[in-house]
Amino acid sequence: MPYVQVKDLSIYYEIEGNGEPLVLLHGMSNNSKSWKEQIRELKNDYTVIAWDAPGYGRSSNPAEELRYFEEFAHILKAMIDELKLEKIYLLGHSMGAAIAIEFCNFYSDRIKKLIIADPTRGAAALNEEENKRKLENRLFSIENLSPEEIADKRIKALLSPYASKEVYKRVKEIMSQVRPAGYRSVAYSLYHLNQMSLLSHITVPVLVVCGELDTVTPVNESKAIHKELINSKFVIIPKGGHLCYQEEPRVFNSRIIEFLNENR
């Protein structure tokens, strides 16, 4: 199995295909398995690499919980260095989008193009009371509920009414693999998240993608981020919820391929 060692962390990643490297970053309740349909199609033209973030999937737990997404970004940089990748295409979903933006802030010279799917403004979209309540609810869930109970609690909000039974089953199976170390690290990182001042400094081409029926990070959230970027395109995935890349992979993948192929 492919792993890289980053200090005390063992980071697992999926890798398939040939061509320029495209790195995929999953969201809070997912892991590398959630990118199955993207890997299957995009590997025809790219070397697709999907990591398990620290505390997720087959990656090890951090010795101390992470508190900021920039910590995830530095770990990602170390992984990319270990894989000897010079420049990459970077695609992040939800919390993965936040990691991708942090990575771009610190290491813009390593990115060719950036794709952020169903991104979140985190604390920037909330007042202090709302932000604190979200943190407390997430911590309560991971401390008092089983992974299966967390999946049952959250899954309806993550999927649109159009999601197939097969997608529902696969999403629930992946969500049921969450662990406290990863979930708590992301909960605290979301609590501290405010990247709005970084967006106007991103100069690489950016594609902002959002599911039409996303109720977790709605279309207006993506539009607010898109508005602050100086070189971005915005697309909506019809009938897609927050996990639009899993619900509508054909449409999602086609938008990614179109964007990556521009001026190539």
Side-chain angles (χ1 to χ4, degrees):
M1 291 183 186
Y3 288 89
V4 296
Q5 197 67 28
V6 178
K7 295 183 179 178
D8 63 336
L9 286 167
S10 180
I11 301 296
Y12 175 83
Y13 62 96
E14 298 275 351
I15 181 167
E16 290 193 43
N18 292 288
E20 297 174 283
L22 168 63
V23 177
L24 311 180
L25 311 177
H26 63 80
M28 183 177 195
S29 299
N30 283 280
N31 57 45
S32 59
K33 292 180 181 178
S34 69
W35 295 109
K36 176 184 174 183
E37 293 300 321
Q38 283 65 50
I39 295 172
R40 182 185 61 78
E41 185 168 358
L42 298 172
K43 70 180 182 180
N44 295 325
D45 296 300
Y46 299 91
T47 299
V48 186
I49 301 159
W51 84 338
D52 282 337
Y56 281 86
R58 285 179 267 191
S59 290
S60 63
N61 293 333
E64 295 183 10
E65 290 166 0
L66 308 181
R67 295 296 176 112
Y68 297 90
F69 283 124
E70 65 181 66
E71 296 175 86
F72 287 87
H74 295 317
I75 294 166
L76 177 64
K77 161 67 161 48
M79 184 190 92
I80 288 169
D81 286 346
E82 282 292 318
L83 296 177
K84 295 180 170 50
L85 304 176
E86 291 300 321
K87 282 205 160 195
I88 63 171
Y89 296 111
L90 185 59
L91 163 55
H93 174 264
S94 196
M95 76 102 165
I99 296 170
I101 290 170
E102 289 292 343
F103 185 92
C104 196
N105 178 51
F106 285 99
Y107 310 110
S108 61
D109 60 319
R110 304 293 293 274
I111 295 184
K112 294 178 180 178
K113 290 184 178 181
L114 174 66
I115 304 163
I116 49 176
D118 302 89
T120 176
R121 288 185 292 161
L126 306 168
N127 62 43
E128 179 56 33
E129 183 180 342
E130 291 171 326
N131 196 32
K132 188 173 182 181
R133 186 168 62 249
K134 274 184 174 282
L135 173 63
E136 290 171 348
N137 287 342
R138 286 167 175 144
L139 295 179
F140 177 87
S141 291
I142 199 63
E143 290 164 7
N144 294 278
L145 303 178
S146 70
E148 291 79 11
E149 288 172 325
I150 292 174
D152 284 334
K153 181 180 177 182
R154 294 200 70 216
I155 193 167
K156 286 186 179 179
L158 295 173
L159 296 173
S160 81
Y162 296 98
S164 69
K165 289 182 180 179
E166 181 185 345
V167 167
Y168 190 98
K169 180 181 178 182
R170 186 169 71 246
V171 167
K172 184 175 180 180
E173 180 183 323
I174 294 172
M175 289 179 68
S176 297
Q177 297 171 20
V178 296
R179 304 200 305 273
Y183 203 87
R184 286 175 60 88
S185 292
V186 175
Y188 281 111
S189 298
L190 286 169
Y191 176 74
H192 293 127
L193 179 66
N194 187 343
Q195 298 173 317
M196 298 306 287
S197 64
L198 304 180
L199 299 176
S200 63
H201 299 286
I202 295 175
T203 57
V204 298
V206 184
L207 178 66
V208 183
V209 185
C210 189
E212 178 188 16
L213 303 178
D214 187 344
T215 59
V216 177
T217 53
V219 169
N220 284 342
E221 188 92 343
S222 286
K223 284 183 175 178
I225 291 171
H226 167 62
K227 185 179 177 182
E228 296 298 316
L229 293 161
I230 61 173
N231 186 15
S232 72
K233 294 188 173 185
F234 177 66
V235 298
I236 290 175
I237 306 300
K239 297 184 178 180
H242 187 63
L243 300 180
C244 61
Y245 71 104
Q246 296 185 61
E247 295 177 63
E248 302 290 339
R250 288 185 182 179
V251 178
F252 184 91
N253 293 350
S254 68
R255 297 293 177 267
I256 301 308
I257 291 168
E258 287 170 11
F259 175 68
L260 294 179
N261 282 342
E262 288 177 3
N263 304 316
R264 200 174 167 197

